[in-house]
Amino acid sequence: MIKRYFKKLLMKNKDLILSQVLAVKGLMQLLMKNRNTGEKWTKEEIKEIKSHLRHISKMVPVIIVFLLPGGSLMLPFL
């Protein structure tokens, strides 16, 4: 019963993590633009960066599960 619950939980969160990672696909290029080119971010780019960071913050509760004691035991289920 517990095994089924954890498997269901992990499969649900796996889809969430994948969707969030795909949503923030261009974030690294935006973050590095200022450093690599010396150009300032436009207002649209700043809005996009904030949007990406909001998407990432949705993943934090999922990641905390793996940081808890015994959380690494769930990795083989993925």
Side-chain angles (χ1 to χ4, degrees), residues 3-17:
K3 185 177 179 180
R4 273 187 276 142
Y5 173 74
F6 278 121
K7 186 174 182 177
K8 182 179 174 183
L9 181 66
L10 289 173
M11 294 309 286
K12 176 183 164 188
N13 291 330
K14 178 180 152 186
D15 295 337
L16 175 67
I17 291 172

